[in-house]
Amino acid sequence: MVLTDLEGSLYATSRHGAGTLRWVAPELLDLPVLEDEANLPHVLPTPQSNVYSFGRIMLQVCLTGKVPYHYYPREARVRDAISKGIIPMQPDPPVVTARQWTFMQRCWMPVGVGEPRPRADKIVEFVKQELVEIEKAALRRRA
């Protein structure tokens, strides 16, 4: 498989098109090496791989403002971490609560190992609960 960097945190492989390396699920990178390069499998994201990416987006957009693995300046190091199952470092509280960190870790579970990644309905439920907590905190600050 050929893996190349495109514009910073994008990647392209000989197996499928471009994507975003720092948010990609490991199962989309862990492709078998085939000798017949003319008939490569086309790998598409699944609901499970989307949940994995959601966990990374949650870490960045909602909580830290930093891309996953921001402490690794080289994409090769990021790719290595993902392929070895190394998750991003946990930010210090109060940036990320224990509940949020636990949920993100569930999103990053390897496929077929341990507890499955949450389904879409569980993500919606979690986000709704987080919004309620944010609203409560805002009301406390105003009081």
Side-chain angles (χ1 to χ4, degrees), residues 28-105:
L28 297 180
L29 293 177
D30 188 25
L31 300 172
V33 175
L34 299 176
E35 295 198 17
D36 183 6
E37 293 290 320
N39 293 311
L40 297 173
H42 186 69
V43 178
L44 296 174
T46 64
Q48 287 182 325
S49 65
N50 289 338
V51 167
Y52 184 95
S53 297
F54 171 80
R56 298 291 167 91
I57 291 167
M58 182 179 154
L59 176 66
Q60 177 188 359
V61 175
C62 302
L63 303 172
T64 67
K66 297 177 182 175
V67 297
Y69 305 105
H70 60 87
Y71 39 85
Y72 293 151
R74 296 184 181 255
E75 296 300 306
R77 181 62 184 106
V78 173
R79 185 174 54 247
D80 184 55
I82 293 168
S83 68
K84 291 179 179 176
I86 300 169
I87 64 172
M89 285 190 250
Q90 182 176 359
D92 293 327
V95 174
V96 175
T97 66
R99 181 174 177 275
Q100 292 164 340
W101 185 248
T102 299
F103 189 81
M104 284 184 283
Q105 288 180 302

Side-chain angles (χ1 to χ4, degrees), residues 7 14-15 17 21-22 82 96 107 113 124 135:
E7 299 180 58
S14 59
R15 302 285 192 269
L21 180 61
R22 291 174 187 264
I82 293 168
V96 175
C107 291
V113 178
V124 170
E135 188 174 326

Side-chain angles (χ1 to χ4, degrees), residues 101-121:
W101 185 248
T102 299
F103 189 81
M104 284 184 283
Q105 288 180 302
R106 285 190 55 220
C107 291
W108 302 331
M109 288 296 295
V111 173
V113 178
E115 186 177 351
R117 294 175 188 161
R119 296 184 327 262
D121 60 327

